[in-house]
Amino acid sequence: MNYKAYFLIFKNNLYISLSYRWNIISGILLMILQIMVSLFVWLTIFDTTSNVKNYTVTDMISYFLLSALVGVTFSSSHIFRLTRMVRTGQLNMVLIRPYSFLLDSFSNFIGSKMIEFGTTILLAVTLYSVGLTTWHGISLLELLLLLTNFTLLFIFGSFLGSLSFWLIQMWPLKSLYNSMMAIFGGALYPLDLLPDKWAQLITLTPFPLFGYVNIRLLQGELHYNETLYYLILSVIWLIIFSIGYKILWVKGLKKYEGVNA
Amino acid sequence: MRRFIPIFLLFARNSLSQMLIYRITSSFIIIFGSLFVAAEVISIVIYYQFTDSIAGWGFYDFLALLATFQLISSLYQFLFVGSHEVLMDNIVEGKLDYDLIRPIDSQIICSIKQLDYSSLINCLIPIVLLIYCWPNLDISFSLLNMIIYLTFVLLGVFFYFLLNQFFVTLAFWIERPHKLAGVPEYILEFSSRPMKVYPRVIQMIFGIIFPIITVVNLPVEFLKGEANMKVILWIIVSLIVFFIIVRLQWKLGVKRYASTN
């Protein structure tokens, strides 16, 4: 298989992202704004209490700042790419090309995320250097977990995006992702503040892998066994959503009419 | 004004037909909207595990604020979100021609074309929350108080509409404005919390200069018996000024518009 085409797609998307820098900057600012809403409430709570379960005020600030940075990289914008192509009939041009749409999407995804990722690293370094959060280092296993979670995000987004063949309006799926991240992903509160049984059930879903798990990893709070457990869980979800995507893609193409092309 | 009513009713009928044809999309909107409210309710329950009061707001006050925020958001989505989504794409792709040549105000027709009845159904959840909270608030449950509360909610809906309209209309000037379309949602999120949890700078910007937090907090301040006449007058003045700005922006944008027909 010739991977040169995919590398070109990756490069193109990287250049496009660089051209529309304002999109990236505004995306990061908006994510930070969103997290600030929850953080300010927690800071007000800490005015009346010094300790919330295992969290001090510094831990909570660190949690939400890292949550904003993780949220930038683990955002759901790629879900709607297929939607636009199905709605406008542009998918026709892609289908006649002799290459994999999934790999095309992945190259697109990586290309568009590179700049966001780089900016996130810069912001993280700034946070560490001003002491708003501390760097605990990252092991090979933890790096592997982050990369697997990142790939899982792509596959999950592709799986959701393939619902475009059936749904006339996809914007409710943005609400799905946001609400799932709010309930299960640790976007509104650290998941370990929930009752233990609830927290254990929630960590079986894929959403903590896009938020809470990565945040606790960067805070240096994941032990070796927990890291291994989440890595295995991430791989299992990767397999499930890959199979789900394949099934939806084949069924969806049978339904696709290529209108508006 | 009289000729808008039959046109609006026509759009309303078309939108209802569309909702009934695409039942899956509509069902998803209802389910996902409910999930988001559930996430917020869970977060409020967690907050009040660790404190009795957040910036002088008790549990039921906070819940009423969440209900009001959701009501404003759902009513906006019912009336305008479908039209705004399509409008941004039409401006960028140069497909506004038919809307601009009709013998009717183009801004109004572009804003009311598509109603989302699923979001109207989602209004039930905040209404139920409000009915649950109201007995624990300071204002008695009477017809007059309900009408006043709803009037304040409708002011909030109008403010949110103007905010979204402002950002959508930026598409006349910005090539890839889709990230900007999400800004109003993030700004509105600030208003889902009591104003006093935020630092003074944010209170100044979003409470006084651009009073989105004040607009959403006002109905609940009324229910708490703390509504201030000066604040109400300031909101009305802000709405009038913002309306004029959005109107002028549209007229300038239309002059810049380039068709692709």
Side-chain angles (χ1 to χ4, degrees), chain B residues 37-172:
Chain B
V37 176
E40 293 276 10
V41 170
I42 293 170
S43 66
I44 292 172
V45 169
I46 290 176
Y47 295 152
Y48 282 91
Q49 277 185 339
F50 304 104
T51 186
D52 291 325
S53 168
I54 297 174
W57 288 56
F59 175 72
Y60 292 104
D61 301 330
F62 214 118
L63 216 50
L65 178 60
L66 170 66
T68 305
F69 163 76
Q70 286 296 331
L71 196 53
I72 290 173
S73 179
S74 298
L75 282 172
Y76 161 77
Q77 283 173 12
F78 162 59
L79 291 167
F80 305 114
V81 80
S83 306
H84 275 163
E85 281 227 323
V86 167
L87 177 56
M88 185 172 263
D89 287 337
N90 283 347
I91 294 172
V92 170
E93 291 166 16
K95 292 178 181 173
L96 265 191
D97 301 38
Y98 290 123
D99 293 320
L100 294 176
I101 60 174
R102 286 185 218 271
I104 194 166
D105 188 295
S106 56
Q107 191 176 22
I108 293 177
I109 202 160
C110 287
S111 306
I112 60 163
K113 269 186 186 174
Q114 208 169 322
L115 303 183
D116 181 45
Y117 286 92
S118 316
S119 297
L120 186 64
I121 297 170
N122 277 342
C123 287
L124 287 173
I125 302 162
I127 290 170
V128 166
L129 270 178
L130 209 52
I131 292 170
Y132 171 71
C133 297
W134 201 310
N136 300 285
L137 302 169
D138 289 331
I139 294 281
S140 61
F141 193 80
S142 68
L143 185 63
L144 176 63
N145 287 336
M146 249 174 38
I147 291 169
I148 296 172
Y149 172 80
L150 279 170
T151 307
F152 289 148
V153 165
L154 289 174
L155 286 180
V157 174
F158 186 49
F159 199 100
Y160 192 37
F161 160 75
L162 291 175
L163 182 62
N164 277 280
Q165 184 69 30
F166 178 82
F167 278 91
V168 165
T169 312
L170 288 176
F172 283 116

Side-chain angles (χ1 to χ4, degrees), chain A:
Chain A
M1 191 186 284
N2 188 357
Y3 289 101
K4 209 174 167 183
Y6 302 116
F7 179 70
L8 281 171
I9 294 167
F10 158 76
K11 226 171 64 166
N12 278 346
N13 273 280
L14 184 62
Y15 291 152
I16 290 169
S17 296
L18 278 170
S19 305
Y20 295 100
R21 287 181 291 274
W22 171 244
N23 267 356
I24 296 168
I25 295 166
S26 61
I28 291 168
L29 286 173
L30 292 175
M31 190 62 70
I32 292 172
L33 270 179
Q34 194 177 25
I35 298 298
M36 292 294 114
V37 172
S38 296
L39 180 58
F40 287 127
V41 176
W42 282 109
L43 290 177
T44 312
I45 291 171
F46 275 103
D47 283 345
T48 54
T49 181
S50 60
N51 206 281
V52 168
K53 238 178 178 175
N54 304 323
Y55 290 82
T56 62
V57 64
T58 320
D59 293 334
M60 200 59 87
I61 292 172
S62 164
Y63 179 89
F64 278 101
L65 288 174
L66 287 172
S67 177
L69 298 184
V70 166
V72 170
T73 310
F74 282 80
S75 60
S76 61
S77 49
H78 63 293
I79 292 173
F80 302 102
R81 181 174 178 251
L82 182 58
T83 309
R84 281 189 286 276
M85 296 175 97
V86 166
R87 204 198 294 176
T88 58
Q90 284 173 359
L91 188 62
N92 296 357
M93 288 304 297
V94 173
L95 291 174
I96 60 173
R97 288 177 190 162
Y99 72 173
S100 159
F101 179 72
L102 187 65
L103 286 177
D104 168 283
S105 297
F106 190 63
S107 309
N108 239 291
F109 178 69
I110 300 289
S112 59
K113 287 286 183 190
M114 282 302 287
I115 304 298
E116 284 175 359
F117 181 65
T119 316
T120 308
I121 298 290
L122 277 172
L123 286 171
V125 167
T126 311
L127 289 179
Y128 291 132
S129 57
V130 301
L132 280 171
T133 189
T134 49
W135 174 246
H136 298 273
I138 188 166
S139 69
L140 206 57
L141 190 68
E142 286 170 342
L143 183 62
L144 189 58
L145 176 59
L146 281 175
L147 290 172
T148 313
N149 289 344
F150 187 67
T151 311
L152 176 61
L153 174 73
F154 166 72
I155 289 290
F156 175 73
S158 300
F159 170 77
L160 277 189
S162 54
L163 293 172
S164 309
F165 292 112
W166 290 274
L167 296 178
I168 191 172
Q169 284 164 332
M170 285 289 282
W171 67 266
L173 290 187
K174 190 174 176 210
S175 298
L176 168 68
Y177 183 76
N178 289 343
S179 57
M180 289 292 111
M181 286 304 290
I183 300 175
F184 301 129
L188 288 179
Y189 43 81
L191 293 181
D192 44 5
L193 294 186
L194 290 168
D196 288 341
K197 278 191 183 152
W198 285 29
Q200 276 169 17
L201 273 171
I202 285 170
T203 49
L204 291 174
T205 68
F207 299 100
L209 298 166
F210 304 145
Y212 173 76
V213 168
N214 302 320
I215 299 164
R216 296 304 270 160
L217 187 157
L218 292 171
Q219 284 187 304
E221 296 291 338
L222 279 192
H223 305 299
Y224 177 81
N225 287 343
E226 282 176 313
T227 311
L228 197 57
Y229 167 75
Y230 286 124
L231 182 61
I232 293 168
L233 193 62
S234 189
V235 169
I236 290 171
W237 278 114
L238 201 55
I239 293 167
I240 290 170
F241 283 122
S242 298
I243 294 169
Y245 166 79
K246 189 73 186 165
I247 293 170
L248 287 181
W249 177 256
V250 167
K251 283 185 188 278
L253 279 183
K254 285 180 187 164
K255 213 177 143 45
Y256 177 63
E257 291 169 351
V259 179
N260 293 331

